[in-house]
Amino acid sequence: MSRPAPPRVHLGPSWSGPVERPTLALPPLDVAGALEATRTWTGPEHRVGGGATLALWELLATVAAADLAVARALEPVLDARSILAQAGAGSAAARPALPGDLTPSSTWGVFAAEAPDVTLLAAPSDADGAWHLTGTKPWCSLAAVLEGALVTAHLPDGERGLFAVDLRGPGVAVEAGGWVSRGLAEIPSTPVTFSGARAVAVGAPGWYLARPGFWWGGIGVAACWYGGAVGLARRLHEAARSAPDPSTHRDRLAEALGTLDVRLAEARRTLREGAEAVDHDAAGSPALAPGAGRLLAKRVRAGVAAVAEDALRLTAHALGPAPLTREESHAKRVADLGVYLRQHHPVREAASLGSALVAAEVDPW
């Protein structure tokens, strides 16, 4: 039985009246069904920087508020297609020739994580101009079910390049087991070993990290975090409305709800401003000074991550142990959001943001 469509999460201001931007159709709320639905998401409105970025992030947040694992599966597919579109911008000749029978509408992952104990190397092929990947890539989410991946690998000269690879092709082995996480249990992130797997370069060496859109994808992850926080806030709101009045417990719930509402409003504003800047920048009317994309993404991600952490803390203290131990949906959401947020490293990211502010060519405030 299919799950009912969840209520929409809106990132626009509550006082702005009817929403005039496109409302994107929601996928089924299961990982397999959602991945299959993305095959029809071929228009620019489903690409970050395609002119409807706010609507796209609202889609991710809406799904995340209902089931974070489904949003976690969708986000990299959308990111990969945005990357492929950016690589092919300008002329048909610039578009990468994808390996096997992969197309931009295939199901994609983006595997760019690094680990100190494993390395993935790319070597050019003298025969056909392709590349071959050898080594191991860590943290490859859903590699066993996706069709293709965009993978970063080290080049012979030490630079890093981006490559499209068919995950079903020869020379690709997904590590089985090892994913024991209670949060995002449906999204196993395990190593993949490449043994001379054929791959196609996407962009020039260094392009993946240097392109303007590199920082845009990271904000899409923050939209998912925000959706997870909204899901927790909805449970807190439900408890506050059903508590007897007057009571000390109702007052405690109301205080937590009011505090969380203010924090969610802050996250909503920063996501909205980020979407506007991305679309203006992509349209050739820069809203960002050179290098400011990095600042924008780091600010948005840090701000939304802090709000999501507050949502976990406030709801845990206000609701107590009962929902965590008796409600499958709430316990799952808490576990999912806790694992998802570990992609963000607050101390390290704060230092990185501070360094970016020092290096900025203009005063930041």
Side-chain angles (χ1 to χ4, degrees):
M1 180 181 297
S2 61
R3 294 159 66 178
R8 291 274 180 173
V9 172
H10 297 291
L11 297 176
S14 58
W15 43 263
S16 62
V19 177
E20 297 180 358
R21 61 185 172 277
T23 299
L24 304 181
L26 298 176
L29 287 178
D30 66 273
V31 170
L35 289 175
E36 186 63 28
T38 66
R39 297 184 188 281
T40 63
W41 294 0
T42 56
E45 69 275 7
H46 283 103
R47 296 197 296 268
V48 178
T53 299
L54 188 62
L56 186 61
W57 289 347
E58 286 181 335
L59 167 64
L60 287 174
T62 297
V63 173
D67 193 322
L68 269 162
V70 178
R72 176 65 182 83
L74 288 176
E75 187 280 324
V77 176
L78 298 173
D79 188 30
R81 291 180 182 167
S82 298
I83 293 168
L84 289 171
Q86 292 159 21
S91 69
R95 297 170 191 155
L98 299 175
D101 58 358
L102 293 174
T103 70
S105 60
S106 299
T107 56
W108 291 90
V110 180
F111 304 154
E114 298 284 340
D117 56 338
V118 293
T119 303
L120 183 62
L121 302 175
S125 169
D126 295 332
D128 55 7
W131 292 74
H132 290 94
L133 304 181
T134 301
T136 300
K137 198 68 176 173
W139 303 106
C140 298
S141 299
L142 289 176
V145 301
L146 297 174
E147 295 165 330
L150 299 181
V151 184
T152 57
H154 293 266
L155 305 178
D157 62 1
E159 181 66 89
R160 267 200 294 175
L162 183 69
F163 299 89
V165 62
D166 188 340
L167 293 174
R168 304 157 301 178
V172 179
V174 180
E175 182 175 304
W179 185 250
V180 301
S181 178
R182 299 304 186 266
L184 298 178
E186 308 96 310
I187 314 293
S189 296
T190 58
V192 173
T193 298
F194 297 89
S195 304
R198 188 178 184 277
V200 173
V202 178
W207 173 82
Y208 172 69
L209 296 175
R211 65 193 169 91
F214 174 75
W215 297 105
W216 302 347
I219 308 179
V221 174
C224 297
W225 296 339
Y226 175 80
V230 168
L232 293 175
R234 287 173 175 169
R235 179 62 184 87
L236 181 59
H237 182 245
E238 174 190 341
R241 293 184 67 178
S242 60
D245 185 19
S247 74
T248 301
H249 180 53
R250 183 184 177 99
D251 291 343
R252 185 168 68 251
L253 290 168
E255 179 184 6
L257 183 63
T259 302
L260 183 52
D261 178 66
V262 172
R263 299 291 282 130
L264 288 172
E266 295 168 2
R268 192 163 57 247
R269 283 192 294 271
T270 193
L271 283 166
R272 184 167 65 247
E273 291 171 1
E276 292 170 355
V278 164
D279 280 340
H280 279 107
D281 202 37
S285 302
L288 306 176
R294 178 186 179 195
L295 290 176
L296 172 70
K298 287 185 175 295
R299 285 168 172 160
V300 173
R301 283 172 60 89
V304 175
V307 171
E309 294 279 12
D310 283 349
L312 286 168
R313 176 180 55 82
L314 288 165
T315 54
H317 291 180
L319 296 175
L324 285 171
T325 57
R326 299 176 182 175
E327 298 177 14
E328 169 64 26
S329 61
H330 181 74
K332 172 176 162 45
R333 181 173 294 111
V334 169
D336 286 349
L337 185 56
V339 172
Y340 207 168
L341 282 171
R342 297 288 66 79
Q343 287 189 359
H344 184 75
H345 306 277
V347 175
R348 188 172 73 195
E349 289 299 329
S352 178
L353 174 56
S355 297
L357 290 169
V358 170
E361 299 178 0
V362 296
D363 292 337
W365 315 287

